Amino acid sequence: MNHRLSTVLGRLAHMARESVAILTAILIAFALDAWWEERREVAQMLDALDAVTLEIDRNIALLDEAIAHNQERAALGFEIVQLTPEALAELPDDRVAELFRFTNYNLVRLQQGAVTAFIEGGYLAVVSDRHLRAEIAGLPRIQEEIDEEMLAVIQAQEQMEAHMTVNLSIEEMLAGLSNPQNAGRNLLRGVVTNEQARRALMFRSFFLGDLYTSELEEAKTLLEATRGHIDQATP
């Protein structure tokens, strides 16, 4: 009887050891799978983050170009506002052509494909640094802030364009179709001889060279800060 009991207990102990071994193996396999899956997710997140970094670099370059371009155009606008019709008439054609570049300015549209793919791909949850997560999640809002100031520039431009031809005759406008130099000079005269057009140009130049430029500079600062934090958080 004691021998049978001992045998049964031995078999139970053996079965228990086998069960523990099997359970341990299963848990190890699950742990390895989880570890591997985590490594795979991190690797994919880092690849997506590299694309975000490149996009940030392109946007910083885009902002630098726009800031320099718009400040130059704003300076031309302020110069035109101070012209008298007599002073405009004495300007050489090449200077008139240079001043007429004031009509061209740069409204920024940031690239957002990589950051949108990063967010929609669920990679934010894989980023361990919560501050960096918040910065990346906030990148799309930068364009919204830029657009708010952009509207003021567009509205002032539209007001100026609505008034700059009021003092021009049909003959002067038709003459500009065959001679671009005459067109530029006539349109500038349309600005300097119309108080509402001059006022609208002054506001557009202020919005473009001050408010809008300040918004672009702030956007650049935010992008540079995020870029630096990405460098610190990644190997």
Side-chain angles (χ1 to χ4, degrees):
M1 183 68 178
N2 290 336
H3 175 70
R4 290 182 179 178
L5 180 59
S6 177
T7 301
V8 170
L9 291 176
R11 288 178 179 175
L12 290 175
H14 179 70
M15 292 173 60
R17 287 193 297 270
E18 287 185 342
S19 298
V20 170
I22 293 171
L23 180 60
T24 301
I26 292 173
L27 292 176
I28 291 174
F30 282 149
L32 288 173
D33 285 344
W35 174 80
W36 180 254
E37 180 63 21
E38 182 179 354
R39 283 178 60 87
R40 187 181 67 83
E41 289 179 351
V42 170
Q44 291 177 341
M45 181 273 291
L46 291 175
D47 287 342
L49 195 58
D50 283 342
V52 172
T53 301
L54 292 175
E55 186 171 83
I56 288 175
D57 289 340
R58 289 193 296 268
N59 283 334
I60 290 173
L62 184 67
L63 289 168
D64 279 333
E65 180 182 353
I67 289 168
H69 183 92
N70 289 338
Q71 286 181 330
E72 179 189 0
R73 296 309 190 262
L76 292 176
F78 282 124
E79 185 173 347
I80 293 168
V81 167
Q82 298 176 66
L83 282 176
T84 62
E86 295 75 21
L88 174 61
E90 295 177 359
L91 290 179
D93 288 341
D94 58 346
R95 182 55 181 159
V96 170
E98 183 178 355
L99 285 175
F100 194 64
R101 292 187 303 163
F102 84 95
T103 57
N104 177 23
Y105 53 94
N106 193 332
L107 297 179
V108 171
R109 180 60 57 183
L110 298 176
Q111 299 178 21
Q112 295 188 340
V115 70
T116 299
F118 189 92
I119 294 171
E120 294 181 354
Y123 294 118
L124 280 176
V126 187
V127 178
S128 58
D129 188 318
R130 64 185 182 89
H131 294 294
L132 181 57
R133 282 202 307 272
E135 286 180 324
I136 295 174
L139 288 178
R141 289 195 293 272
I142 293 178
Q143 183 66 57
E144 297 174 8
E145 298 294 332
I146 290 175
D147 289 346
E148 290 182 6
E149 299 297 342
M150 178 182 70
L151 289 177
V153 175
I154 294 174
Q155 289 171 356
Q157 176 76 10
E158 290 175 346
Q159 291 175 10
M160 181 198 68
E161 292 173 351
H163 297 291
M164 66 188 300
T165 59
V166 170
N167 292 341
L168 298 181
S169 66
I170 296 296
E171 290 73 17
E172 287 174 318
M173 288 189 284
L174 290 175
L177 296 177
S178 59
N179 189 327
Q181 289 183 342
N182 283 343
R185 188 180 294 275
N186 287 341
L187 288 174
L188 286 178
R189 191 173 67 80
V191 173
V192 301
T193 59
N194 185 289
E195 184 63 24
Q196 291 176 305
R198 290 177 67 237
R199 186 182 299 274
L201 176 56
M202 182 182 67
F203 283 130
R204 195 218 71 172
S205 299
F206 171 71
F207 293 147
L208 186 66
D210 193 301
L211 299 182
Y212 190 60
T213 292
S214 295
E215 192 63 50
L216 297 185
E217 289 173 342
E218 183 176 346
K220 177 185 173 184
T221 299
L222 291 173
L223 290 176
E224 288 176 335
T226 303
R227 179 68 165 85
H229 294 157
I230 290 174
D231 289 340
Q232 294 173 3
T234 55

